[in-house]
Amino acid sequence: MTDKSAEHGRTLPRAMGGGAARQGFQDGFRSGFVCFAGRPNVGKSSLINALVGEEVMITSAHPQTTRRAVRAIMNAPDHQIVIVDTPGVHRPRTALSERLNDTAAQAFAEVDVVGFCVPADEDIGPGDKFILEQVRREAPKARIVGLVTKIDKRGRGRTAAQLLALSALLGPEHDVVPVSRQSPEQLSALAELLVSLMPQGPPWYPTDQVVDDSDEARVAELIREAALSRLREELPHSVMVVVEETQRKKDLWVVYASVYVERSSQKAIVIGAKGSVLREIGTVARSRIEAAFGVRAHLDLRVKIAKDWQRDPKQLDRFGF
Ligand SMILES: Nc1nc2c(ncn2[C@@H]2O[C@H](COP(=O)(O)OP(=O)(O)OP(=O)(O)O)[C@@H](O)[C@H]2O)c(=O)[nH]1
């Protein structure tokens, strides 16, 4: 999927032919990599979607749903910022959590800036400090910027107190900014700050690309997002979606996908009485796929069992982790 660049010591996107296309850009162009770090559910994926202006990442009210290091790309005439969404730091309880931690560590190693996120509506605690130490260890060269997220959930006084607390945690040399995905002004202030911290250099990706992921992987994530919005408690973590095949029929895109769960009791829940839950998941997923790709879509969803897949290295290999 990627080429190694000895020149930059960085994993180059395949789309750029290993960097050969990084030529012919004007002086002063800035480009680089950003990662957002923080506890589960602080709003990292939502922030990326808001910055890029497209639903490139799935989001969910369930914590720890991000499983892939997807790169979202912000393009402008004078800059390109590649934002790497990471699975976050998991307690390594299963083979899956260990692999997700490896994915996050690889992503941190190559970024120029880390946006360290804490939500406005929760006190800073040991969990945040643990993640900050990890960021400092795994991204020693990156500049750390503090972000207080979801500030629409709290009043000004509380936001100001959280900004001060975050600044005290990071140290006075670090910028600290408030953001809400609902505030275009704050999002553009954050984007401006990120651009100012990017190194000068040509873009890493074609400047019309917004995400570095295959269509099949994005579709699988949109189906998983639809399933997460309908399922509760532990079940979301057991769900894995694989797109088996897609066919174009004139203006219709037919998608055959498997929804994997770990046990037969879970299969019954995902299907629901007379297939009602699976039908709902399919309806939501179809509308999201149609909105994301601008096509008409037909979904053929099958629920299958991959027994205890989160703990099984062979199945994790098969699912591409
Ligand atoms: N009110 C408010 N809610 C937000 C905001 N950003 C995110 N949320 C909500 O917070 C929840 C978590 O958002 P995500 O973007 O999935 O968080 P994440 O940090 O990527 O979560 P992980 O999957 O654990 O990595 C979702 O229910 C979002 O709708 C915001 O700016 N304001």
Side-chain angles (χ1 to χ4, degrees):
M1 170 122 198
T2 50
D3 296 317
K4 285 276 180 202
S5 159
E7 177 198 354
H8 296 276
R10 179 176 256 170
T11 314
L12 287 175
R14 185 190 48 184
M16 298 303 287
R22 298 190 78 220
Q23 282 159 17
F25 272 81
Q26 86 239 28
D27 285 348
F29 195 92
R30 289 179 182 274
S31 80
F33 289 70
V34 173
C35 210
F36 293 121
R39 270 185 285 148
N41 241 15
V42 290
K44 300 179 291 291
S45 302
S46 303
L47 192 55
I48 296 172
N49 287 341
L51 282 168
V52 174
E54 260 192 52
E55 295 286 311
V56 290
M57 307 295 171
I58 70 164
T59 61
S60 151
H62 302 287
Q64 302 206 316
T65 52
T66 302
R67 285 192 187 144
R68 304 162 51 74
V70 177
R71 295 163 182 211
I73 304 157
M74 291 167 67
N75 289 300
D78 61 350
H79 67 257
Q80 179 178 77
I81 300 181
V82 183
I83 313 176
V84 189
D85 195 18
T86 70
V89 180
H90 290 236
R91 267 199 213 111
R93 273 184 299 222
T94 60
L96 174 66
S97 344
E98 280 171 24
R99 294 200 185 183
L100 294 181
N101 285 349
D102 289 347
T103 305
Q106 278 164 16
F108 279 124
E110 65 180 24
V111 296
D112 301 289
V113 172
V114 176
F116 180 74
C117 304
V118 296
D121 58 340
E122 286 168 39
D123 287 341
I124 294 176
D128 300 291
K129 290 176 189 155
F130 173 77
I131 292 170
L132 180 59
E133 278 165 26
Q134 187 143 15
V135 166
R136 289 194 161 132
R137 205 169 47 239
E138 284 169 6
K141 291 196 210 119
R143 176 80 173 256
I144 298 175
V145 172
L147 307 179
V148 174
T149 59
K150 307 190 189 182
I151 68 154
D152 54 287
K153 289 180 103 176
R154 280 295 145 125
R156 280 187 185 188
R158 169 72 208 189
T159 301
Q162 192 74 323
L163 288 166
L164 287 173
L166 182 54
S167 179
L169 176 70
L170 294 177
E173 68 280 20
H174 295 274
D175 291 297
V176 172
V177 292
V179 274
S180 157
R181 65 174 171 192
Q182 289 157 10
S183 162
E185 294 79 20
Q186 287 164 354
L187 291 166
S188 40
L190 171 61
E192 238 172 73
L193 173 64
L194 295 176
V195 172
S196 73
L197 298 173
M198 291 295 108
Q200 290 202 3
W204 293 91
Y205 285 86
T207 51
D208 57 356
Q209 194 173 338
V210 291
V211 65
D212 179 10
D213 213 359
S214 69
D215 288 352
E216 284 75 15
R218 286 187 72 192
V219 166
E221 284 289 87
L222 290 168
I223 298 170
R224 190 163 68 91
E225 183 180 46
L228 294 181
S229 68
R230 188 61 185 70
L231 302 171
R232 292 208 172 77
E233 282 140 34
E234 281 307 297
L235 197 51
H237 294 284
S238 296
V239 172
M240 174 72 203
V241 178
V242 176
V243 169
E244 311 286 359
E245 196 190 331
T246 61
Q247 289 169 1
R248 294 257 176 202
K249 292 184 180 164
K250 291 189 184 149
D251 64 338
L252 184 69
W253 204 25
V254 185
V255 175
Y256 298 90
S258 305
V259 179
Y260 284 95
V261 288
E262 299 193 283
R263 288 185 287 282
S264 55
S265 56
Q266 296 175 335
K267 181 172 171 176
I269 297 173
V270 174
I271 293 174
K274 296 190 182 146
S276 57
V277 175
L278 189 62
R279 248 193 326 276
E280 276 176 46
I281 294 172
T283 305
V284 172
R286 181 165 54 79
S287 70
R288 290 184 187 170
I289 292 166
E290 291 182 341
F293 290 90
V295 290
R296 264 194 330 120
H298 173 79
L299 281 189
D300 185 307
L301 295 182
R302 302 285 153 103
V303 184
K304 297 180 182 169
I305 299 171
K307 198 167 176 305
D308 290 332
W309 67 264
Q310 293 187 79
R311 295 174 189 279
D312 179 351
K314 273 210 193 108
Q315 311 226 51
L316 292 174
D317 286 344
R318 186 159 73 94
F319 288 152
F321 287 106

